[in-house]
Amino acid sequence: MPHPLSVPLPLPLLMILTLTLTLTLGSGSGAPRMKVRVKLRASYYRRTCPGAERIVAEAVTAKQIANPSTAAGALRVFFHDCFAGGCDASLLISPDSGPGSGSSAAAERDAEINRSLPGDAFDAVARAKAALEQACPGAVSCADVLALAARHLVSMLGGPFYPLRLGRRDALFSPAPSSAHVAPDLPRTNMTAPQLIALFASKGFTVQEMVALAGAHTVGFSHCKEFAGRIYNFENRGPNAFDPALNPRFAQGLQRACASYLKDPTISTFNDVMTPGKFDNLYFQNLPRGLGLLASDAALFVDTRTRPFVERYAANQTAFFEDFALAMEKLSAYGVKTGRDGEVRRRCDAFNDHP
C-alpha cells in the first residue's frame, strides 16, 4: 500500500493544542484551488465526549485482536480517504446507502481503486462509532473516528503515537467512482518515482514526507494482480521472466504463491515478508535487497531524490518513526471540513437525513 511543503512542520508547532491551518485544496484534475481556514484542537471533545479516544481505542483494539489484518487495513482506508478530497469520511459511505446529501447510487468507496479495501477496517470504524453513539450521541464525527482508529492501530503494531487535532466534520457527499476526486488523486502501484513525487507535491507534501508515508507498507498485504507484471512475462521475455530488480528467490516464491491469481483474484502476499505484522523499518531495509513487492516500492530506491531517505530510514528506525509521525499528523489535517461544510453522521456508512 502505498503512501510535503518544502520544509516539514517544526515539532513545536505540531505539539500545540490549538492550530489554525491554511490548507490549499485541489485535485489531480486541475480543479480550482481554494483556501479554507480550519481550526482543530486536541481537546475538541473535552466537554461533549471526554472519553472519545478511550472508546475508539477499546473498540478497535478488540477488532484488531480478533482480526489481525485490521490495523493495516485501517491505515490504508485512512490514507485513501484523506488523499482523495480530504479527511472527511467520504470513503466510508456505502454505495446505495439511501437518502442523503450525496449520491445514493454510487460512492467513492465503489471506485475500482477502493474496491480491494478490507472490510475489517470499515467494520472497526463502525464498531467504534456505535460505541460512541451509545456514550455521547451525535458528538464525534466519523472522520475523527477514522483518524483516531488509524493512530491507535499503528501504535498497537509497534509504530509511533503521534499528535492528533480533532473537530473534523463528515462530508456531505461522496464522489461517484468516475469523479476526478478519486482515482487520479491516489497513487498507483505501478507509478514511477517522478509520478509519485509529482502527485504528492500537488497536495503539498515533500519528497521526504512521501517516502516516510510509504513506510506504511511495512504492514499489510497486496493482491497479486498489483504486481503480476513484475513476476510473470516481464517485458514480454517469457512466462516466467521476472523483474531483474527483484531478488530471484523472492520472485520465484511470489510466482508460486500467485500461480492461481487469475482464477482467484483475492490471493495476496505480505508487503513486508520479513515482519509483516510489525510496524518497523524493515520495509526500507528490504528495498535494496530486491524485496520490495510493488513497482512503486522498488522505484523509491532507484530515484536519486528518494533513495537518500530510504537509506536513512533503513539505518535508523527512530528517524523513520519521527518523520512518519510528522507526516501522518500533517496528512490528518489535509482537506478537513468544519462547521457548515460538513456534518456529524449518526452512521459512518450513510448520510444523515436532511429536510
Side-chain angles (χ1 to χ4, degrees), residues 56 152 194:
V56 171
H152 181 75

Side-chain angles (χ1 to χ4, degrees), residues 40 45 52-53 56-57 60 71 74-75 77-79 81-82 86-89 92 121 124-125 128 132 140-155 160-170 328-334 336 348:
L40 302 176
Y45 296 112
E53 293 189 33
V56 171
V60 299
L75 185 55
V77 169
F78 174 70
F79 177 83
D81 180 58
C82 290
C87 304
D88 58 8
L92 303 183
V125 174
L132 287 165
V140 184
S141 69
C142 296
D144 278 345
V145 174
L146 179 57
L148 287 168
R151 179 183 68 171
H152 181 75
L153 289 166
V154 164
S155 68
F161 188 86
Y162 47 88
L164 265 185
R165 279 171 278 292
L166 304 170
R168 299 163 188 78
R169 290 281 180 145
D170 299 324
M328 284 293 287
E329 208 271 347
K330 179 176 176 177
L331 174 64
S332 73
Y334 179 75
V336 298
C348 291

Side-chain angles (χ1 to χ4, degrees), residues 85-165:
C87 304
D88 58 8
S90 55
L91 180 56
L92 303 183
I93 292 294
S94 294
D96 300 312
S97 60
S101 300
S103 169
S104 61
E108 183 177 344
R109 184 171 171 179
D110 201 37
E112 180 185 359
I113 196 170
N114 288 329
R115 289 176 186 170
S116 63
L117 294 173
D120 284 333
F122 292 98
D123 185 57
V125 174
R127 292 180 183 222
K129 175 63 172 174
L132 287 165
E133 288 299 299
Q134 288 289 322
C136 14
V140 184
S141 69
C142 296
D144 278 345
V145 174
L146 179 57
L148 287 168
R151 179 183 68 171
H152 181 75
L153 289 166
V154 164
S155 68
M156 272 192 74
L157 297 186
F161 188 86
Y162 47 88
L164 265 185
R165 279 171 278 292

Side-chain angles (χ1 to χ4, degrees), residues 3 210-219 279-280 283-284 300 320 324:
H3 344 158
M210 181 195 78
V211 176
L213 289 172
H217 282 181
T218 192
V219 293
F279 197 99
D280 55 24
Y283 164 80
F284 295 105
L300 300 181
F320 165 48
F324 179 82

Side-chain angles (χ1 to χ4, degrees), residues 303-317:
D303 194 279
T304 56
R305 291 166 291 179
T306 54
R307 183 168 180 166
F309 298 115
V310 171
E311 293 175 334
R312 171 175 167 79
Y313 298 149
N316 189 335
Q317 180 167 281

Side-chain angles (χ1 to χ4, degrees), residues 4-63:
L5 304 170
S6 60
V7 178
L9 293 174
L11 186 58
L13 184 61
L14 288 171
M15 297 305 295
I16 61 176
L17 292 180
T18 304
L19 173 66
T20 301
L21 298 172
T22 301
L23 299 178
T24 301
L25 303 182
S27 74
S29 65
R33 291 175 176 267
M34 58 182 178
K35 290 185 177 181
V36 181
R37 298 293 290 180
V38 178
K39 289 185 179 180
L40 302 176
R41 60 184 186 274
S43 59
Y44 188 84
Y45 296 112
R46 183 179 60 186
R47 294 183 179 179
T48 57
C49 194
E53 293 189 33
R54 173 186 54 80
I55 292 170
V56 171
E58 290 176 351
V60 299
T61 294
K63 179 66 180 180

